[in-house]
Amino acid sequence: MAPNGGLMRTAVTGIPYFDDADRVQETTVQFCKATHADPRCVASAVLIAECVRGLIEGKTLNVRCNAIARARRVLEH
C-alpha cells in the first residue's frame, strides 16, 4: 500500500511556476517526499501537478501525455 495524502498538498505546486515544468516537478517532489517518500506517491503527485500546470497554460490536449511522461521519469529515478 502507498497511501498518498501528499496529493492534497502538492496539486497547488503546479500553479506558482506553471511556466517552468522542471521547477514545478522539483517543488512537487520536495513537498511530497516530506511525508510520502514512496516513489509511487511522488510520481502521482507529479502527475497531478503537471495536469494543473498544463491546464493553466491552456494545453488541454497534451496535459495527460505530458503528465504521464513526467510521472514515469520520476519513477525511473
Side-chain angles (χ1 to χ4, degrees):
M1 266 181 63
N4 195 0
L7 285 176
M8 294 180 287
R9 290 188 322 282
T10 56
V12 299
T13 60
I15 298 171
Y17 307 108
F18 70 88
D19 58 341
D20 185 344
D22 292 333
R23 191 164 183 188
V24 168
Q25 180 175 326
E26 291 168 13
T27 304
T28 304
V29 169
Q30 289 174 2
F31 273 45
C32 190
K33 281 187 173 182
T35 57
H36 294 79
D38 186 298
R40 296 170 294 174
C41 296
V42 176
S44 63
V46 167
L47 181 97
I48 297 301
E50 179 64 21
C51 286
V52 169
R53 188 189 77 75
L55 290 170
I56 291 171
E57 281 193 319
K59 297 180 178 178
T60 56
L61 295 177
N62 294 324
V63 167
R64 186 171 34 169
C65 293
N66 292 340
I68 291 169
R70 281 203 171 267
R72 283 187 178 149
R73 284 194 296 266
V74 168
L75 283 173
E76 292 170 359
H77 287 12

